[in-house]
Amino acid sequence: MTKRTKLYFTFITFIIGCMIAIQFQTVQEPVVRDTRDTWELRQHLTKEMELYSKLIREIQKNEDRIHNYESEIAGSKEETLRQTLQELRKEAGLTEVTGPGIILTIEPLTEALLLGEKFNAVSPVILQRLINELNMFGAEHISIDGERIINTTVIREINGETKVGNHSLNVLPFNILIITENKDSADKMYNRMQVSPSIEDFFIDNLRVKISKPSDSIIITPFVDTLRIRNMKPAQEKGEN
């Protein structure tokens, strides 16, 4: 065997060895898989579908309102405008509403009190997360400790005190009233809140969330503070200067 032949043989053997090593390493490395729990994925998908359904209902409601307005505009314009104004006042939270729903009661954890532990004030972050979850589950109207929640309501902490709008949450227990579209929606919300992750967030702060059985008649009072509207001005009609 010549020197050149030995060199070729050594080079080919080296290449084959590298290929075998790479193949062995590929076989040994496990395939990276999604480690999220199947139930977690299904729960997330359910929430997204509920949000999608709620948006579809809102679009349909507005389309029906436009259709009714167009069909009645030739008749009684005044009555149509009055009905529209009443509906807008209801959606803005300026009227009392009654309907099916549930009641959540936030109270100190009894076991913590018996052990002499101090319970924390209700965190605005956890409270806002709960409200978002209720809206996702089909809440039509919400009241926290008698304070009606509207689109402009802000939940925040001021000087160590949690406030809902201008209302302070400094006394426990307090109730959160929720009204849903119908009794079936109230039943679904009750079942979902039983396994809600938001409930566990309160538990960590030594607080308990009691969930009432669905009721046919929950009463929520109207928003009473002054509505502040910024960055809006009347639109000018065509031809006006």
Side-chain angles (χ1 to χ4, degrees):
M1 183 181 296
T2 64
K3 186 175 182 180
R4 177 177 294 182
T5 303
K6 289 182 179 180
L7 183 61
Y8 287 158
F9 180 78
T10 303
F11 179 74
I12 293 173
T13 304
F14 175 76
I15 295 298
I16 294 174
C18 290
M19 293 176 63
I20 294 175
I22 292 173
Q23 183 177 9
F24 179 77
Q25 184 178 4
T26 303
V27 173
Q28 292 297 316
E29 290 181 353
V31 178
V32 178
R33 301 179 61 185
D34 192 342
T35 58
R36 286 184 294 177
D37 186 77
T38 303
W39 175 254
E40 181 182 353
L41 294 174
R42 292 181 61 185
Q43 190 177 36
H44 179 73
L45 178 60
T46 301
K47 290 182 179 180
E48 293 297 329
M49 292 178 65
E50 287 291 336
L51 180 59
Y52 175 76
S53 299
K54 185 175 182 179
L55 292 175
I56 292 297
R57 290 196 299 270
E58 288 294 328
I59 293 173
Q60 184 63 45
K61 184 187 298 183
N62 290 328
E63 288 180 347
D64 291 342
R65 179 181 299 161
I66 294 173
H67 175 73
N68 293 335
Y69 184 81
E70 290 176 345
S71 61
E72 296 177 8
I73 195 170
S76 175
K77 294 183 179 179
E78 182 179 351
E79 180 62 26
T80 302
L81 289 174
R82 185 180 295 110
Q83 292 178 1
T84 301
L85 178 61
Q86 184 64 19
E87 290 178 5
L88 293 175
R89 285 177 56 83
K90 181 178 179 180
E91 291 184 6
L94 302 179
T95 61
E96 181 178 285
V97 289
T98 303
I102 63 174
I103 299 176
L104 305 181
T105 301
I106 312 299
E107 61 183 12
L109 193 63
T110 305
E111 293 80 354
L113 293 177
L114 293 176
L115 295 174
E117 297 183 13
K118 294 182 179 181
F119 60 87
N120 300 321
V122 178
S123 164
V125 176
I126 295 178
L127 191 59
Q128 185 62 64
R129 189 179 304 163
L130 174 64
I131 298 304
N132 292 340
E133 194 170 61
L134 291 173
N135 287 328
M136 189 175 297
F137 288 161
E140 296 284 329
H141 309 281
I142 301 175
S143 172
I144 300 178
D145 198 24
E147 182 74 9
R148 181 73 171 270
I149 303 299
I150 62 176
N151 290 334
T152 58
T153 299
V154 178
I155 300 176
R156 62 197 186 282
E157 181 179 328
I158 300 178
N159 296 327
E161 190 174 66
T162 298
K163 286 182 173 288
V164 179
N166 295 322
H167 178 74
S168 299
L169 292 179
N170 48 19
V171 178
L172 292 174
F174 64 85
N175 292 330
I176 300 178
L177 309 182
I178 305 104
I179 290 180
T180 58
E181 183 179 7
N182 49 49
K183 185 61 165 57
D184 183 57
S185 298
D187 292 335
K188 290 180 180 179
M189 178 175 289
Y190 173 78
N191 293 329
R192 287 169 178 168
M193 292 308 298
Q194 298 292 330
V195 293
S196 166
S198 298
I199 304 300
E200 298 179 3
D201 293 336
F202 283 92
F203 186 81
I204 294 174
D205 285 345
N206 288 333
L207 298 172
R208 186 200 311 275
V209 180
K210 292 176 62 176
I211 309 171
S212 73
K213 292 290 183 65
S215 172
D216 292 328
S217 182
I218 300 290
I219 300 175
I220 294 182
T221 56
F223 181 79
V224 295
D225 292 336
T226 303
L227 285 175
R228 304 184 185 279
I229 301 176
R230 300 182 177 88
N231 302 323
M232 293 180 64
K233 61 181 180 179
Q236 293 183 345
E237 296 290 342
K238 292 183 177 179
E240 292 183 359
N241 294 327

